[in-house]
């Protein structure tokens, strides 16, 4: 088979999308998924992870899966109770699903998607670096629980591509949003996709905060009025 194409054990993920450089764990209980993980471990520990469009689908066909997934390296496998297996992986290479075989386990034929070297001018890359850093910093400051560490790690990354991967992996959004990031082909498209998602999250947080403040003020006012009436 052409080096650009590969046949590999596959796992259909429900409600989760793995991005390049992202380290994450997930549980599998379907026999086909467990068998795919076991087969990958007996070979080179590589597995193709592809997200289901409908998480309720028990035996997904090709049309039930997104087109773009990721080749990931299995780092650890732990057998839990009730025939559940926990798998720790690290995302590596984006790949396009070409064919899927429904046998003892899912076996996918995929096209490896090498990242296109973009000859962006240095000043454009620097502007994008600063823009995404500033925007993600604003987001982190609105989420102080984990924000400080994320900001610290972000400041140590000088590569635009690695920074986009880092932010995408650490952004706590749903799998549909992660899938949009995964499907973005170019650096500029990934940058724009991330910026839209982060700015939208900032807007939602600010609206939520304003709403909670108004509700609190109303509650406080009602309590004061009640106390005055009781006196």
């Amino acid at each position: 088979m052409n080096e650009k194409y590969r046949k590999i054990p596959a796992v259909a993920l429900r409600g989760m999308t793995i991005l390049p450089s992202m380290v994450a764990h997930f549980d599998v209980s379907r026999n086909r998924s467990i068998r795919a993980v076991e087969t990958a471990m007996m070979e080179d520990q590589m597995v193709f992870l592809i997200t289901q469009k409908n998480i309720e689908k028990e035996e997904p066909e090709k049309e039930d899966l997104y087109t773009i997934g990721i080749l990931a390296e299995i780092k650890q496998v732990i057998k839990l109770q009730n025939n559940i297996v926990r798998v720790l992986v690290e995302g590596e290479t984006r790949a396009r699903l070409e064919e899927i075989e429904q046998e003892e386990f899912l076996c996918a034929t995929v096209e490896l998607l090498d990242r296109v070297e973009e000859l962006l001018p240095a000043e454009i890359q620097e502007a994008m670096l600063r823009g995404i850093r500033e925007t993600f910093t604003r987001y982190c400051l609105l989420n102080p629980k984990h924000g400080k560490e994320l900001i610290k790690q972000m400041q140590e990354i000088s590569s635009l591509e690695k920074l986009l991967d880092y932010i995408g992996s650490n952004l706590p959004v749903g799998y549909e949003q992660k899938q949009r990031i995964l499907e973005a082909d170019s650096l500029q498209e990934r940058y724009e996709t991330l910026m839209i998602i982060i700015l939208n999250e900032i807007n939602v947080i600010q609206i939520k905060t304003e709403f909670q403040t108004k509700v609190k003020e109303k509650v406080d006012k009602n309590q004061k009025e009640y106390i005055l009436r009781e006196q």
Side-chain angles (χ1 to χ4, degrees), residues 179-192:
Q179 189 67 34
R180 285 174 54 199
I181 299 169
L182 184 66
E183 292 177 1
D185 288 321
S186 66
L187 278 179
Q188 184 165 339
E189 189 180 349
R190 262 183 287 157
Y191 170 82
E192 291 172 355

Side-chain angles (χ1 to χ4, degrees), residues 135-194:
T135 305
F136 191 57
T137 297
R138 283 175 58 200
Y139 171 81
C140 288
L141 292 175
L142 292 171
N143 292 271
K145 187 175 180 181
H146 304 293
K148 288 184 179 180
E149 185 59 31
L150 290 177
I151 292 172
K152 180 181 176 183
Q153 293 290 332
M154 178 180 64
Q155 297 300 333
E156 298 173 0
I157 302 173
S158 58
S159 162
L160 175 60
E161 185 173 32
K162 289 181 179 179
L163 182 59
L164 294 178
D165 284 344
Y166 174 79
I167 291 175
S169 298
N170 286 282
L171 202 56
V173 293
Y175 73 94
E176 296 98 335
Q177 306 270 52
K178 296 272 190 183
Q179 189 67 34
R180 285 174 54 199
I181 299 169
L182 184 66
E183 292 177 1
D185 288 321
S186 66
L187 278 179
Q188 184 165 339
E189 189 180 349
R190 262 183 287 157
Y191 170 82
E192 291 172 355
T193 301
L194 272 170

Side-chain angles (χ1 to χ4, degrees), residues 64-79:
D64 302 312
L65 305 169
Y66 284 101
T67 303
I68 306 299
I70 194 161
L71 261 65
E73 182 182 0
I74 298 174
K75 297 291 188 180
Q76 186 181 57
V77 176
I78 301 174
K79 291 186 178 181

